[in-house]
Amino acid sequence: MILVAFFVFGLLYLAPGDPAAIMAGDAATTADIERIRETLGLDQPFLVRFGSWVGGILQGDFGTSMYTKQDVLKMISQRLEPTFLLMSMTLVLSVIVAIPMGAIAAWKHNTIVDRIVMIIAVLSFSVPSFVVGYLLAYSLGLKLSWLPVQGYKAIGSDGLYAAVRSLTLPALALGSVYVGLIARITRATMLESLSQDYTRTARAKGVKESLIVFKHALKNCSVPIITTVGSGVALLIGGAIVTETVFAIPGVGRLTVDAILRRDYPVIQGVILIFSFMYVMVNLIVDILYTVFDPRIRY
Amino acid sequence: MTVSTIDPPRSGLSRSWTWLRRNPAVLFGLVVLSILVMMAVFAPFLGTVDPKAVSPFERTQTPSAKHWFGTDMLGRDLWSRVVYGTRVSLTVGFLVAICSTVLGALIGVFSGFIRWVDAIVMRLMDGLMSIPSILLAIALITLSSASIWNVILAITIVETPRTVRLVRGVVLSLRDEPYVGAAQIAGISMPGVIFRHILPNTFAPLLVQATYICAVAIISEASLSFIGAGVPPSTPSWGNIMAEGRALWQIKPHIIAFPAIALSITVLAINMLGDGLRDALDPRMSTRRH
């Protein structure tokens, strides 16, 4: 995490495109630019700036936006609700759809069902989530008007149901890649465990085939599946930025895109740090889940 | 894939043709990819006009005989823009695949062999991998000015750690094999052992990995361009065309649809090629068939 912090800071320290000059505007003199640079502390040496930046973050101070002059942490936390809801919906939806899909594909190995699942998986890797997003928004949203096309209804003002409804299409779009990923790893590990001795034993003692697949074998597949679900969160984060742009959702992703266009470095730094922190936490949770699902693993 | 011993010996070309016919996915991928490469190379001769030429009187037209794919909001010919966009996507895909594979292989081999390098390199790679890839690419691109080379560089840096891990894994598993020890005893120098005897073992998984990196790189470039952190907006790339069509997508969906279809077909072809190669080259995968 420290390495990430250093990296993120170093990266944006080296960035060209002088923010002081951008802020001052076209009519500014060199003296004006110099004054702005001093108030932002941009004239200090690298390590001094890094030190004060890390010190600030440990106290919850991510700096202020160069553009809106607001506190970065506050800006991010205001936008966190739709992004968080979108990601959790995608996660739940994908896991519910993908694991049975992969399991059934392995169970009916080399049949038409298996083929169809594999084709869906390859397609989901190949069609980017923003393309799926537009396809869904156009067909289900605009033409059939089953669901809201764009925008977000906040939980606070419109209630949870409206919020979930407004995020259903984005979650489906964002989940498309994720479903392929999880279904594929489920199928692969399931094929392996279906050829193991314990499966044969279960069959020999007359356990129903569906029970073997979904109880005995699936339990033994849990570790690789959880790993994939965890590492796939990185995909979700990247996908959320793009999906929020497609569906005009005022989330952290939208904030990131705006910050990029304005070269608002403190905001970009803050967003990358928060997302990376989230990702590290997810991996920690994954490690803890291992011990729950597989008692053989001890730390 | 089973090699039948009854078959009479045949030339390499006809053998690979037979193999291709048994792997329709690979064949499909190769054919589509060849067509796309042709399109990129011969873009000026495919009924295209200048992809940047604006024509204010012909804005947002739907497909017609004159404009096969219609026009965008500045009256630019979409067919020409999509065809020229193939150049951007394929350049990014191929170059990133080559660069990150070569770079990853070199770093991976050395860190697999030299302990102290390994400790440093793997920490660095873990650090890079703990930042979600699109965010890392965005950070790297905001650092530099928008150009296709910076996009390629950024995606290469993002994709290299995975290749390093792959190669390092293979090297670590081979380092203690008897034949490597035998080569060393026979007096072959360290670089000789590495490049002659170890590196060839990584080619099969690397080739498969390279196709996946190529597919991911093309999607990444399109995504980055789509959110405004990719190749400069003046360049006709699929992501840029879609970004420009964003404002009008509800009334003029064709502007987004054509680059989206092109992008999806391209990535699909590359993924099918990769899957086919993996099934063919990974002996574990073929024995698992029952």
Side-chain angles (χ1 to χ4, degrees):
Chain A
M1 203 58 215
I2 292 168
L3 195 77
V4 172
F6 192 78
F7 186 74
V8 168
F9 187 79
L11 210 65
L12 297 172
Y13 174 82
L14 296 168
D18 190 343
I22 296 172
M23 274 179 62
D26 291 336
T29 61
T30 326
D32 286 338
I33 296 174
E34 212 46 55
R35 208 175 52 243
I36 292 172
R37 193 169 290 159
E38 258 167 56
T39 50
L40 292 175
L42 287 175
D43 53 348
Q44 310 250 312
F46 177 76
L47 279 178
V48 174
R49 282 172 59 192
F50 182 66
S52 66
W53 185 67
V54 170
I57 283 176
L58 292 178
Q59 294 161 24
D61 175 15
F62 281 66
T64 48
S65 159
M66 286 175 177
Y67 190 79
T68 60
K69 300 278 181 294
Q70 276 178 305
D71 187 46
V72 170
L73 192 63
K74 207 172 144 200
M75 279 174 83
I76 295 176
S77 56
Q78 279 170 352
R79 303 286 199 99
L80 216 51
E81 182 195 296
T83 307
F84 198 70
L85 188 62
L86 171 64
M87 286 173 64
S88 359
M89 278 174 67
T90 311
L91 194 77
V92 172
L93 218 65
S94 310
V95 168
I96 291 176
V97 173
I99 292 181
M101 232 170 88
I104 291 171
W107 180 13
K108 309 279 182 200
H109 185 50
N110 275 340
T111 63
I112 186 82
V113 184
D114 185 23
R115 290 277 151 74
I116 291 172
V117 169
M118 286 315 281
I119 288 171
I120 293 175
V122 176
L123 276 178
S124 85
F125 277 124
S126 307
V127 185
S129 54
F130 55 109
V131 175
V132 179
Y134 276 118
L135 203 66
L136 288 174
Y138 192 76
S139 56
L140 298 184
L142 206 59
K143 288 289 158 199
L144 298 170
S145 33
W146 286 354
L147 288 160
V149 180
Q150 278 183 322
Y152 174 67
K153 301 259 193 299
I155 299 179
S157 53
D158 299 277
L160 186 64
Y161 176 70
V164 168
R165 234 176 97 81
S166 67
L167 287 183
T168 305
L169 283 183
L172 287 174
L174 184 54
S176 63
V177 182
Y178 210 35
V179 165
L181 196 72
I182 301 173
R184 215 167 156 145
I185 193 79
T186 307
R187 177 180 173 273
T189 47
M190 186 65 104
L191 277 180
E192 201 137 339
S193 57
L194 282 181
S195 60
Q196 299 284 322
D197 289 343
Y198 60 80
T199 313
R200 201 172 30 181
T201 311
R203 269 199 201 114
K205 72 177 188 183
V207 180
K208 258 203 320 204
E209 190 68 24
S210 58
L211 207 63
I212 295 178
V213 171
F214 284 103
K215 195 173 158 215
H216 298 256
L218 196 58
K219 227 184 233 170
N220 284 282
C221 296
S222 53
V223 168
I225 294 174
I226 293 171
T227 311
T228 311
V229 171
S231 60
V233 169
L235 266 176
L236 277 191
I237 292 171
I241 297 175
V242 179
T243 311
E244 283 179 12
T245 311
V246 172
F247 288 96
I249 299 163
V252 186
R254 199 53 234 174
L255 182 71
T256 319
V257 175
D258 292 341
I260 295 166
L261 297 177
R262 293 174 191 149
R263 305 227 153 217
D264 197 341
Y265 297 129
V267 177
I268 303 178
Q269 282 174 338
V271 169
I272 296 180
L273 264 184
I274 296 246
F275 272 141
S276 303
F277 178 71
M278 232 164 84
Y279 187 45
V280 171
M281 281 298 128
V282 166
N283 280 322
L284 186 71
I285 295 171
V286 164
D287 282 349
I288 295 169
L289 280 181
Y290 283 162
T291 55
V292 177
F293 281 92
D294 192 344
R296 283 171 299 183
I297 298 174
R298 291 248 174 277
Y299 293 110
Chain B
M1 193 182 65
T2 50
V3 180
S4 165
T5 45
I6 311 162
D7 281 353
R10 277 177 302 180
S11 72
L13 203 68
S14 92
R15 240 203 345 251
S16 44
W17 172 239
T18 320
W19 179 79
L20 268 181
R21 270 217 316 241
R22 279 195 209 131
N23 292 273
V26 180
L27 188 63
F28 170 81
L30 271 180
V31 169
V32 173
L33 210 57
S34 319
I35 294 173
L36 286 163
V37 171
M38 292 293 188
M39 269 171 70
V41 173
F42 298 109
F45 309 106
L46 292 171
T48 56
V49 295
D50 180 4
K52 292 178 188 171
V54 296
S55 158
F57 296 112
E58 298 179 302
R59 278 174 309 184
T60 63
Q61 286 185 354
T62 42
S64 64
K66 190 182 173 204
H67 299 290
W68 296 349
F69 281 6
T71 55
D72 68 3
M73 62 292 272
L74 293 175
R76 293 173 293 195
D77 182 46
L78 270 178
W79 161 251
S80 310
R81 288 179 75 72
V82 171
V83 170
Y84 276 92
T86 318
R87 288 187 170 179
V88 177
S89 286
L90 291 187
T91 311
V92 171
F94 289 157
L95 279 182
V96 168
I98 293 167
C99 294
S100 65
T101 306
V102 171
L103 205 66
L106 285 177
I107 300 175
V109 160
F110 284 111
S111 88
F113 256 98
I114 309 165
R115 278 281 153 79
W116 66 269
V117 174
D118 190 44
I120 299 170
V121 165
M122 288 327 281
R123 285 297 78 71
L124 196 66
M125 294 299 146
D126 285 347
L128 279 178
M129 281 170 85
S130 69
I131 304 177
S133 52
I134 285 274
L135 281 179
L136 182 56
I138 289 173
L140 288 167
I141 287 165
T142 44
L143 173 148
S144 50
S145 54
S147 82
I148 183 168
W149 304 113
N150 286 329
V151 171
I152 292 172
L153 186 70
I155 305 176
T156 303
I157 294 174
V158 171
E159 293 301 323
T160 302
R162 270 163 266 271
T163 319
V164 171
R165 282 213 159 166
L166 178 82
V167 173
R168 175 176 171 271
V170 176
V171 171
L172 283 183
S173 71
L174 291 180
R175 199 174 54 183
D176 300 324
E177 289 282 312
Y179 82 91
V180 173
Q184 275 171 328
I185 293 166
I188 298 170
S189 69
M190 196 65 159
V193 174
I194 292 176
F195 287 104
R196 192 95 51 76
H197 300 280
I198 301 235
L199 213 49
N201 286 297
T202 63
F203 283 168
L206 266 183
L207 186 65
V208 176
Q209 177 89 346
T211 59
Y212 292 141
I213 289 179
C214 183
V216 170
I218 289 176
I219 292 187
S220 300
E221 184 275 322
S223 310
L224 287 170
S225 298
F226 181 72
I227 60 173
V231 296
S234 59
T235 316
S237 88
W238 294 338
N240 280 339
I241 304 172
M242 292 182 72
E244 286 156 8
R246 204 161 69 202
L248 289 175
W249 75 270
Q250 298 197 354
I251 39 173
K252 300 283 178 192
H254 72 274
I255 301 176
I256 279 187
F258 287 116
I261 293 168
L263 178 65
S264 308
I265 291 177
T266 308
V267 179
L268 182 66
I270 297 169
N271 273 333
M272 288 181 83
L273 190 65
D275 281 356
L277 283 176
R278 186 200 54 200
D279 291 347
L281 293 174
D282 187 351
R284 267 191 329 141
M285 292 302 288
S286 47
T287 50
R288 211 185 280 158
R289 295 250 164 84
H290 45 239

